[in-house]
Amino acid sequence: MKRYRNGEIWDFEHEVAVATNRPVILGLDGGTTSTVCICMPIMPFSDALPDPLPVLARAVAGCSNHNSVGETAARETLEQVMADALSKSGSNRSAVRAVCLAVSGVNHPTDQQRILTWLRDIFPTQVKLYVRNDAVAALASGTMGKLHGCVLIAGTGTIAYGFTEDGREARAAGAGPVLGDWGSGYGIAALALTAVIRAHDGRGPHTMLTSTILQTLGLSSADELIGWTYADPSWARIAALVPVVVSCAEAGDEVANKILKEAVQELALSVKAVVQRLGLCGADRKNSFPLVMVGGVLEANQRWDIGREVMDFISKDYPGAHPIRPKSYLLCPDMVLGWGRFRLVEPAVGAALLALNEFMKECVQEAYRR
Amino acid sequence: MKRYRNGEIWDFEHEVAVATNRPVILGLDGGTTSTVCICMPIMPFSDALPDPLPVLARAVAGCSNHNSVGETAARETLEQVMADALSKSGSNRSAVRAVCLAVSGVNHPTDQQRILTWLRDIFPTQVKLYVRNDAVAALASGTMGKLHGCVLIAGTGTIAYGFTEDGREARAAGAGPVLGDWGSGYGIAALALTAVIRAHDGRGPHTMLTSTILQTLGLSSADELIGWTYADPSWARIAALVPVVVSCAEAGDEVANKILKEAVQELALSVKAVVQRLGLCGADRKNSFPLVMVGGVLEANQRWDIGREVMDFISKDYPGAHPIRPKSYLLCPDMVLGWGRFRLVEPAVGAALLALNEFMKECVQEAYRR
């Protein structure tokens, strides 16, 4: 293993006695708001995964989207959170068999290759490494590691990602706030801030968003919003205003309602684009497929339920879409689609299950070749 | 005068023999794309300004919008460009009587105060200092220094700004790309990039913008656009794609045409909001007022003439709006509005004329008090 420049991150490996040599896998979910790393033991082959899953450790850090915070900060966050998870589990890098790094901002094979090269600098050559868009881990989190169906994430950012059973994949959105992710938390909040500016300068109608947002941010006039907006480039900071927009919409504000309705259409459009390109709905548009829906915007669970509205839109065109949402587990615990019971776990666990599946697949292939 | 930390910028004052002690004024136009500083002599009172205006020196630098490049870089650019103009004119700071700094990103009295404090660090107390939004200098550039009427700027950013003859002022837009400046060069180009992404992932119609933009940027697929977009936060870099959008629209591309038509409506809306709030059009909506229109988006002068389309929209509601555009001088050289002949000069000269007007007004007031 090459000597890595951030040596101090791994100091615990020398300082702390390692409790066990049990082989482990790491699953990482790196989003624009936070990054989570899960350490799980390698489990024996089995049709049904144990419930609850045997998570050895869980570590949390900040943003790891290189498009948002830059390459250096993103890498340091990812490396630190992996070290934390291993340290907490009383393990170290020599016990790691596979790592699945699912991060937002992976949009092109060159992104993937760059991260793989850097990751290989941290782990020895025999460790299996997988780098995927964070949406892939989110899908796996609703399908127990199997890549089939579609996932819609709407948190600070938004993306729709889908897989057919024979391995074809497609995505829509996930291009960030400049490139039309209008249904994202950032998109919703930026439109709300814009509505305040437009009401103030006479381009738009009066809205309750003005007083509510200014009060939330502790500002005294709409002019001050401009300085506030550009003082900090963090996308998550803007997206944090989504609950304010939802509460104004619930209180009957027309501008806020229009913003949320357009966001619903945008989010549904992303899913439809993926489903259509992959033919997930079959020729008669009625085939069943799982639709995992995660992220703060979809999980708000308020009276104005964005996730439910999106689902209503999608169901009209694709009645076979089966929603897997945080609360849908409670609503239909026995829903079965022929390949296992649904159970929504967190995306980092989804990434760990992906790593486990891929690792076992490769082990079988290697054993077969021997 | 306090000793200023960037001493080396002013080294020329010791090194070069100053040719003249003639009192001068500085006018600065600091935009998101570039910054221009003009050095002019103090001219005697007169109804008509000389033609051409006696510009002693002109210096050019890069972006000085602190919201785009940050406070430190913006200040260094402004200080350097002032030093360059003085050095070129064979003058130095002791000859300066007034400075008008017209910069984009001045949205609130606190912005103004912060820049004034910093500027006072460079110039001795007897120099008159004026800090205004760059739109005010742009208006003055079309009205020979008099603040009356409305200006529409559409370059990388966009803003509408107006003054009544009795000194009331109003603005619309100018809040940057996050806050709804949709008719700006950045806004137009970002929508074009978005259209490429949406055509690629199935959310939007096919468009000629895809091949044209990818070719212009030397990219091989739409996926690569995401990395390109976030690799550099400069707004001007994105806005530079406007000519590509115009050429696609001229070639009949529907998506590009829709983007430009919406931009026209947005730009016209900004002007209408200002005119309405100030009552520039009078009770019967027919009063005459000058409308200065500047910036790359409005001056493109192509077959698809965004500036002309904006003007057509505005004229429908306000027939008394008299456009002052770079080419309108040629079209109607004798247009008179009762307060002098129109003549469009560059915004930095407008800033210098503003400084001159304000300086002379203050001189008269001081003489009166003595």
Side-chain angles (χ1 to χ4, degrees), chain A residues 334-367:
Chain A
D334 294 319
M335 182 162 60
V336 170
L337 266 183
W339 43 270
R341 198 176 292 256
F342 283 137
R343 210 162 94 213
L344 195 65
V345 294
E346 73 168 323
V349 175
L353 292 174
L354 268 181
L356 185 69
N357 278 354
E358 293 293 327
F359 173 72
M360 293 198 294
K361 216 185 287 175
E362 289 198 33
C363 286
V364 171
Q365 283 167 352
E366 278 167 22

Side-chain angles (χ1 to χ4, degrees), chain B residues 192 208-209 212-214 216 240-250 256:
Chain B
M208 189 190 293
L209 289 164
T212 323
I213 288 180
L214 292 181
T216 303
L241 290 170
V242 169
V244 177
V245 187
V246 173
S247 70
C248 286
E250 288 182 347

Side-chain angles (χ1 to χ4, degrees), chain A residues 107-108 171-173 175-180 182 186 193-194 198 201 203 223-224 226 229-230 266 269-270 273 277, chain B residues 107-108 171-173 175-180 182 186 193-194 198 201 203 223-224 226 229-230 266 269-270 273 277:
Chain A
N107 301 305
H108 194 260
R171 57 173 276 185
V178 179
L179 300 173
W182 293 317
Y186 180 97
L193 292 171
T194 295
R198 290 169 86 89
D201 69 20
R203 283 179 298 158
D223 286 328
E224 290 177 12
I226 305 177
T229 300
Y230 300 103
E266 282 295 323
L269 180 63
S270 296
R277 270 160 67 206
Chain B
N107 301 306
H108 195 261
R171 57 175 276 185
V178 178
L179 300 173
W182 293 318
Y186 180 97
L193 292 171
T194 295
R198 290 169 87 89
D201 69 20
R203 284 178 297 159
D223 286 327
E224 290 178 10
I226 304 177
T229 300
Y230 301 103
E266 283 295 322
L269 181 62
S270 296
R277 270 162 66 206

